Amino acid sequence: MVLDHTLRDLVFYSVGIIINITLHEDSRVAILEKEIVVPKLIEVLRDSNIEDIDLSKVAAKALHNMTQVKDEFKSKMNDYWTNDSINKLDEVLQNLGDELDSIMVSNIILLI
C-alpha cells in the first residue's frame, strides 16, 4: 500500500527499507513470496522514470536484490517473477532507455 502512495518521500524511504530487508537472503524469499511486491516496485520504477532518477535508482536496486536468491530457490523464480512482471519490467526499461537516448541526442545537439 505504501508503494502506491502519492508522497514521493514515503515511497522513496519504503523502497529503501525493502532494499535493506532484501540484503538478507532469507528475508528476500519471504518478500518475494508476497506476490505484490515485485509488480509494485516495477510500477514505482515506471512512474519515477527519468523525472526522479533517485527514486528510479532505489527501485531498480530493490528489483535487482529480488533476483538474487539461493540456489535452492532458483527453481521457484518463475513463481516469483511472472511473465507479466518480466514483460512490464522490459517495457519500463525499454522506455527508460529510449528517454536516455533522447536526452543524450539533445545534449549532443546542444554541444554542436
Side-chain angles (χ1 to χ4, degrees):
M1 219 165 61
V2 176
L3 296 178
D4 283 331
H5 209 281
T6 56
L7 287 175
R8 180 248 184 226
D9 287 347
L10 182 59
V11 174
F12 183 85
Y13 292 117
S14 298
V15 174
I17 291 168
I18 291 171
I19 289 172
N20 290 337
I21 291 171
T22 57
L23 291 174
H24 308 283
E25 291 186 27
D26 295 331
S27 300
R28 198 174 304 139
V29 172
I31 287 181
L32 279 167
E33 289 175 346
K34 308 279 186 217
E35 297 173 0
I36 192 73
V37 177
V38 168
K40 289 295 179 186
L41 286 170
I42 293 169
E43 287 178 23
V44 169
L45 182 60
R46 181 197 66 217
D47 293 344
S48 60
N49 235 336
I50 293 294
E51 291 81 34
D52 189 346
I53 198 69
D54 290 332
L55 185 54
S56 293
K57 288 189 299 189
V58 295
K61 174 60 178 166
L63 286 165
H64 170 22
N65 285 1
M66 300 292 227
T67 64
Q68 309 300 305
V69 295
K70 294 179 183 178
D71 288 338
E72 62 197 71
F73 294 109
K74 288 194 180 196
S75 63
K76 296 183 82 176
M77 282 302 278
N78 287 339
D79 296 336
Y80 303 140
W81 283 87
T82 64
N83 284 336
D84 186 48
S85 289
I86 292 169
N87 290 336
K88 284 181 182 175
L89 181 58
D90 184 50
E91 180 184 327
V92 167
L93 293 176
Q94 188 68 39
N95 290 337
L96 186 59
D98 291 345
E99 280 188 60
L100 286 171
D101 288 345
S102 279
I103 290 170
M104 293 287 289
V105 169
S106 296
N107 287 337
I108 290 170
I109 291 171
L110 288 174
L111 289 174
I112 297 175

